[in-house]
Amino acid sequence: LMVDLIKKLGAPVILVARTTLGTINHTLLSLEALRSRNIEVLGVIMNGEQNIQNSNSIELYGRTSVLAEFPKLESVSMNTLKSVALPQKLKHILEVQENDTTNA
């Protein structure tokens, strides 16, 4: 399973969750599964049409941060990825992780 690979690698996780119906339950279960295996969770990225109530619930009940909210992209390319600005807190986490990997 992917969770076994993540555990074996010792990699921290940024969980990507959809914004539609059922996401609170699905995301909270995923967070619980990761934490029960002592896998570090850096936060959650929400993908799809913005839903503030879902994001707030995941932060509160999941005891985590929503690092970014991205719209659904019709296609993935360098141009579409560049058009989605990364929030500052996500940039910071990625920079810290990159430095940790470089210094290891």
Side-chain angles (χ1 to χ4, degrees):
L1 300 177
M2 186 57 67
V3 73
D4 296 321
L5 177 61
I6 293 166
K7 179 69 177 173
K8 186 171 183 118
L9 294 174
V13 170
I14 295 176
L15 183 63
V16 178
R18 58 192 165 93
T19 60
T20 57
L21 182 65
T23 194
I24 296 170
N25 185 59
H26 180 260
T27 305
L28 295 180
L29 287 171
S30 296
L31 290 168
E32 182 179 335
L34 292 164
R35 290 178 177 144
S36 72
R37 291 169 174 83
N38 296 314
I39 295 171
E40 180 183 7
V41 178
L42 300 177
V44 176
I45 293 176
M46 302 301 293
N47 184 33
E49 188 175 327
Q50 188 177 38
N51 185 315
I52 296 296
Q53 292 86 359
N54 285 351
S55 295
N56 290 343
S57 294
I58 288 168
E59 284 189 324
L60 176 67
Y61 298 114
R63 301 177 323 276
T64 192
S65 294
V66 172
L67 303 172
E69 298 183 43
F70 292 113
K72 180 180 177 185
L73 301 175
E74 293 304 319
S75 66
V76 178
S77 68
M78 290 304 286
N79 288 335
T80 58
L81 292 175
K82 287 178 182 177
S83 72
V84 179
L86 290 178
Q88 189 58 40
K89 62 182 172 180
L90 181 56
K91 284 182 185 178
H92 175 72
I93 286 174
L94 295 175
E95 289 168 1
V96 167
Q97 291 302 312
E98 183 177 28
N99 289 337
D100 288 349
T101 304
T102 304
N103 295 330

